[in-house]
Amino acid sequence: MPSKSAKPDHPSQTPRSVVFVVYPDITLLDLVGPLQVFSHAEDPATQDKGYACQVVSVPGGMIGTNTVLSIPTQPASGLQGHPIHTLIIVGGQGAIPGMRDPQLVAAVRDLAKGAGRVASVCSGALVLAATGLLDGRRAVTHWDDCARLAETFPQVQVDLDPIFIQDGQVWTSAGITAGIDMALAIVSEDLGRAAALKMARAMVAQMVRSGGQSQYSPALTRQLRDGAGRFERLHQWISDNLDAPLTVEALAAEAGMSARNFARSYAKSLGTTPAKAVEAMRVERAQELLETSSRSAKQIATLCGFRSEDRMRRAFLRGLGVSPTDYRQRFCAEATPGNAGSA
């Protein structure tokens, strides 16, 4: 098991051994995205391949994916005790039964003993967490599985937003294509930034993506923190009245509490102030309108209660790390240079 401060061992390995662990019903892109990165990354010192990749499963043989394709694998038992530079647990719908499969969990744990680095792609974090290797560490997974990861494995410090997280020599990544981001970052650490940039260009991928996965799941943090649903009705009321002046006093009155008690109780339950929560919900609604409508940025700012494009732009940068214009260009199929606005 990699320690908090360890570097990937077996540095003399050339090429470096990368082992992918799969199981039935993986998401194919969780495997082939990082596999493409490691299969073609070159060591600039030698101009040779930087990595040698293998795909294993508990039984070996053909393993079904979430597509019409199955993939050939080697039995994991054949690598137990062998040095592994980087061990990667692939994600997919099969991760939920996989985290309860004692044979799969034991195989991952055994392989990790000989690995200098351990990583997971997407919901593969659930299987990795079942081994105990994420206990006491920060980790991320697909936004739709963050709640399950936090509830099932309370010793894991689930961070909702990052595209990937490195905690010592244990890496985890968010949903699906984030596995490519993580793989490029690993290549950068192992072979240097130039090697990673070369691969990014070849794959027409961004070396560092702006924003986190909160831009894909804007209500996630709120839902997770208000697990008991104490303010669920209030949140619905806020959502229905975003263009109104939503002061603390107005929110407290709707919640049937004094302003002081409401502000204190809300912050304790949600980990944020009412004002920040309202801003996040306005951003959430603006995201939806930017994705699905051709309204101008000025119109959207008014509908969502921002009052001005500039206030909306600043809220987007605070919350998502991208401007409304960049967000629309990234997510709106209807976006054109003429309707994107100037925010």
Side-chain angles (χ1 to χ4, degrees):
M1 171 181 175
S3 68
K4 286 273 187 177
S5 58
K7 288 290 184 184
D9 48 20
H10 325 304
S12 61
Q13 277 190 350
T14 304
R16 297 156 182 80
S17 167
V18 177
V19 175
F20 292 87
V21 179
V22 301
Y23 42 83
D25 207 17
I26 63 161
T27 296
L28 187 59
L29 188 56
D30 283 4
L31 169 66
V32 298
L35 180 61
Q36 193 75 46
V37 172
F38 290 114
S39 293
H40 294 278
E42 293 181 351
D43 189 333
T46 63
Q47 302 301 309
D48 295 326
K49 285 189 175 182
Y51 301 92
C53 299
Q54 300 179 76
V55 182
V56 305
S57 65
V58 170
M62 300 300 292
I63 297 294
T65 73
N66 67 339
T67 73
V68 297
L69 298 178
S70 296
I71 53 174
T73 68
Q74 302 175 42
S77 59
L79 289 179
Q80 288 178 5
H82 288 225
I84 298 171
H85 189 272
T86 299
L87 178 70
I88 301 177
I89 318 306
V90 176
Q93 291 182 341
I96 297 173
M99 70 182 184
R100 304 187 185 108
D101 182 342
Q103 286 186 300
L104 175 61
V105 172
V108 171
R109 188 183 293 116
D110 287 344
L111 290 172
K113 292 176 183 177
R117 178 193 288 121
V118 178
S120 63
V121 179
C122 193
S123 56
L126 295 169
V127 177
L128 187 55
T131 68
L133 293 174
L134 292 182
D135 288 357
R137 296 182 186 269
R138 291 177 62 235
V140 68
T141 185
H142 189 286
W143 61 264
D144 201 31
D145 288 307
C146 280
R148 180 180 284 109
L149 180 61
E151 292 165 6
T152 308
F153 304 102
Q155 298 304 311
V156 180
Q157 300 169 22
V158 181
D159 199 336
L160 310 176
D161 191 49
I163 295 295
F164 63 85
I165 290 175
Q166 177 187 8
D167 188 332
Q169 288 313 118
V170 176
W171 297 57
T172 52
S173 71
I176 308 179
T177 57
I180 296 174
D181 299 79
M182 181 180 71
L184 289 169
I186 289 174
V187 170
S188 182
E189 179 171 90
D190 291 345
L191 305 179
R193 183 172 175 81
L197 283 170
K198 182 178 180 180
M199 274 306 307
R201 291 191 195 101
M203 298 181 70
V204 197
Q206 291 175 282
M207 184 65 187
V208 180
R209 272 196 275 181
S210 59
Q213 68 170 341
S214 61
Q215 59 193 300
Y216 303 90
S217 55
L220 179 62
T221 302
R222 186 171 64 251
Q223 292 168 351
L224 286 173
R225 291 177 176 171
D226 189 27
R230 182 179 182 186
F231 294 103
E232 184 176 355
R233 189 186 65 81
L234 175 64
H235 289 151
Q236 184 58 55
W237 180 83
I238 294 171
S239 180
D240 293 338
N241 295 275
L242 287 174
D243 59 345
L246 298 175
T247 63
V248 170
E249 289 74 18
L251 300 180
E254 182 63 27
M257 304 168 69
S258 70
R260 182 176 180 182
N261 186 37
F262 166 72
R264 182 171 58 247
S265 298
Y266 191 92
K268 183 177 180 181
S269 295
L270 275 295
T272 190
T273 66
K276 289 181 179 178
V278 168
E279 179 176 282
M281 294 182 74
R282 283 176 167 151
V283 168
E284 178 181 343
R285 178 63 56 77
Q287 287 177 267
E288 179 183 346
L289 292 173
L290 287 166
E291 292 172 17
T292 61
S293 80
S294 58
R295 290 185 176 95
S296 70
K298 182 177 180 180
Q299 290 173 321
I300 291 173
T302 299
L303 287 169
C304 297
F306 287 112
R307 302 292 185 262
S308 74
E309 292 180 54
D310 185 58
R311 287 184 180 180
M312 183 170 73
R313 183 183 63 81
R314 284 187 273 121
F316 263 67
L317 291 173
R318 280 193 296 269
L320 304 180
V322 295
S323 71
T325 298
D326 289 341
Y327 185 89
R328 169 167 263 169
Q329 290 173 346
R330 187 173 302 171
F331 290 105
C332 180
E334 300 178 16
T336 67
N339 70 19
S342 59

